[in-house]
Amino acid sequence: MKRLAVGTSAFPGCSSMPVAGAVRAGERVYLSAGNALQADGTVKGLGDPAAQTHAALDSLEASLKAAGGTLANLTKLTTCIVDRGYRADVYRVITERIPNVRPVSTGLVVAGLGLPELIVQIDAEAAIPANPVKHTRPYTFESWHGQGFPWYGAMVTASDDEFFVRGQTGAGLDHSGTAAKGRRVADAGAQADLAMQNLAQLLGEAGSSLDDVCKITVYISDRAYRAGVYPMIGKHFGDTRPVSTGIVTTGFARPDVLFEIDVVVIPKHDGKPHKRLRPYHSSAAKYGTETQPLDCKFCMVAVAGDRILLRGQTGMGLDEKLYGAGDAKAQAEQAMDNVETLLGEAGASIDDVAKATVYVTESDFLPAVNAAVLKRFGKSAPAFTTLVVKGLASPELLMEVDIVAIRKDARS
């Protein structure tokens, strides 16, 4: 694993701490999110979504170059904007910069980014495989949602070692639009049901299955939708037990979308199932101070070859107690204690972390939370991303951190 384009962070609260623009492990490249924040703390393109999109792609391009790649190696884009009205400007720039690359994509409207001046951020995934990537259900829209510019995409992009999947919503695979357009809990559940059907079908067409899913990130636009969404996820995954992160976000590409799911899909090695450590049932787990009646089977750690993916960690201790009530920094400290324990159980350490993603529920929490997370890595600079979100699984949770690590002793 190589840490590339390492520099001191410009993120709030951690200006003296090292962050990698890219971390390469085999074909896979983990990237810090691209945005208009410069190394000196200034922001390019103030108030201009197109200019900030160019700046974000410039940042990603520089990091990929350090890793031996180009923007053509992008496999997935998670585009975060603070206002849905910016979509046309943002996606017009993306299609100009990466024509015919066809990365899969997820589009979110978020509560905020690292600084109030930031209005666009792109969290990208990339691979530099020995063989050309394969696209499942590639598509071209000459006028993307009637906005006057083309868009080139795919439902699944497969490299040698991973399947990258477009974020799935309650929309038909024939691009016919969103089902269940009400805003009831039952509508969110219906959208989740269709999204999971779509996911299973797409993975089958690409040569994979739900059994290969190691991690899910679930986005909903209202915490109340958890009661409708998670039983559908549990129904489709059965005993697969992925690790999970749950985010309440401000919105999606269209107002009628209530739910979106992202997945990490890694093929089995030699046909052997991935290891799922610390299995649990969601209905028996505490979120904040209470349990929630959600019929899903998850685990805390998924191990796929040399890769380790953790459930999103919060101020909930591994003993099911909430630490740091009302204190985002204390919750971040507990979350990182959990991370170190779980990595150790999987045969890794904090030095093996390739990517860390921090979510907070208030922008004011970012400096203290970023500092608490990044100081644990010392000189082992990870790729890093931060987002301000509408909420997490319970109101008591103020932060969450996602972790991906690469075990040194497991690499072939």
Side-chain angles (χ1 to χ4, degrees):
M1 184 167 66
K2 296 181 180 179
R3 304 178 189 276
L4 305 155
V6 176
T8 55
S9 171
F11 291 101
C14 43
S15 59
S16 63
M17 300 179 187
V19 166
V23 175
R24 183 168 180 180
E27 70 164 36
R28 188 68 159 83
V29 183
Y30 297 93
L31 296 162
S32 289
N35 55 44
L37 182 60
Q38 305 301 292
D40 62 1
T42 62
V43 174
K44 292 182 69 174
L46 290 175
D48 185 339
Q52 290 205 14
T53 305
H54 275 296
L57 290 169
D58 289 345
S59 173
L60 293 170
E61 186 172 36
S63 296
L64 280 165
K65 182 178 180 180
T70 70
L71 290 177
N73 296 114
L74 293 172
T75 53
K76 178 156 189 169
L77 304 177
T78 300
T79 302
C80 298
I81 53 180
V82 298
D83 188 309
R84 190 182 285 112
Y86 297 150
R87 280 182 57 81
D89 289 335
V90 169
Y91 282 86
R92 184 179 289 109
V93 170
I94 292 172
T95 199
E96 289 172 0
R97 295 285 298 270
I98 54 169
N100 298 313
V101 173
R102 298 187 185 276
V104 302
S105 63
T106 294
L108 304 174
V109 183
V110 298
L113 298 169
L115 292 172
E117 300 95 322
L118 293 172
I119 57 178
V120 178
Q121 181 165 284
I122 302 174
D123 200 12
E125 301 178 40
I128 308 175
N131 302 302
V133 298
K134 298 178 180 179
H135 299 295
T136 297
R137 295 202 183 210
Y139 58 86
T140 299
F141 289 106
E142 294 303 327
S143 181
W144 180 239
H145 289 289
Q147 295 175 103
F149 61 91
W151 181 256
Y152 312 99
M155 288 294 187
V156 183
T157 294
S159 67
D160 294 337
D161 295 336
E162 189 167 353
F163 296 91
F164 302 87
V165 186
R166 179 184 177 185
Q168 289 303 302
T169 66
L173 292 178
D174 58 359
H175 303 286
S176 58
T178 304
K181 294 185 178 181
R183 305 194 69 82
R184 303 169 300 169
V185 171
D187 295 314
Q191 290 188 17
D193 193 16
L194 180 55
M196 291 301 301
Q197 293 176 49
N198 293 346
L199 178 60
Q201 181 174 341
L202 291 170
L203 289 177
E205 292 175 5
S208 182
S209 71
L210 292 178
D211 288 343
D212 288 336
V213 175
C214 295
K215 180 176 178 63
I216 65 173
T217 303
V218 177
Y219 302 100
I220 53 177
S221 56
D222 192 298
R223 190 180 289 112
Y225 295 151
R226 286 173 62 83
V229 163
Y230 279 88
M232 293 300 177
I233 293 172
K235 179 181 78 171
H236 287 277
F237 275 117
D239 292 326
T240 297
R241 295 187 182 275
V243 299
S244 175
T245 294
I247 303 297
V248 186
T249 195
T250 304
F252 299 97
R254 298 176 302 282
D256 53 13
V257 177
L258 310 177
F259 162 86
E260 189 157 359
I261 185 169
D262 272 341
V263 292
V264 176
V265 187
I266 304 172
K268 299 180 184 67
H269 290 252
D270 300 322
K272 298 177 182 177
H274 303 316
K275 296 179 181 179
R276 318 275 179 165
L277 308 181
R278 288 197 182 226
Y280 68 95
H281 195 286
S282 193
S283 293
K286 281 189 177 180
Y287 299 87
T289 56
E290 298 179 354
T291 58
Q292 299 177 13
L294 309 173
D295 190 10
C296 289
K297 295 178 181 178
F298 291 130
C299 71
M300 296 292 280
V301 185
V303 181
D306 62 355
R307 203 173 328 182
I308 301 170
L309 300 102
L310 303 188
R311 177 192 181 189
Q313 292 302 307
T314 67
M316 294 298 301
L318 298 177
D319 57 1
E320 290 288 300
K321 295 178 181 178
L322 176 65
Y323 294 86
D327 185 336
K329 179 181 178 182
Q331 290 190 19
E333 295 282 4
Q334 180 60 52
M336 292 307 294
D337 286 347
N338 296 348
V339 166
E340 293 199 50
T341 297
L342 294 170
L343 288 175
E345 291 177 358
S349 74
I350 202 77
D351 293 337
D352 296 320
V353 173
K355 175 75 180 274
T357 302
V358 166
Y359 304 94
V360 296
T361 58
E362 296 285 347
S363 58
D364 289 349
F365 299 155
L366 271 176
V369 170
N370 285 347
V373 171
L374 282 176
K375 74 177 183 180
R376 295 295 187 103
F377 297 111
K379 296 181 180 180
S380 299
F384 192 62
T385 294
T386 65
L387 280 177
V388 184
V389 297
K390 184 178 174 182
L392 298 170
S394 79
E396 297 94 339
L397 301 178
L398 307 179
M399 62 74 58
E400 189 157 356
V401 59
D402 271 346
I403 294 290
V404 181
I406 310 292
R407 292 189 302 175
K408 299 182 186 71
D409 61 352
R411 294 200 56 78
S412 58

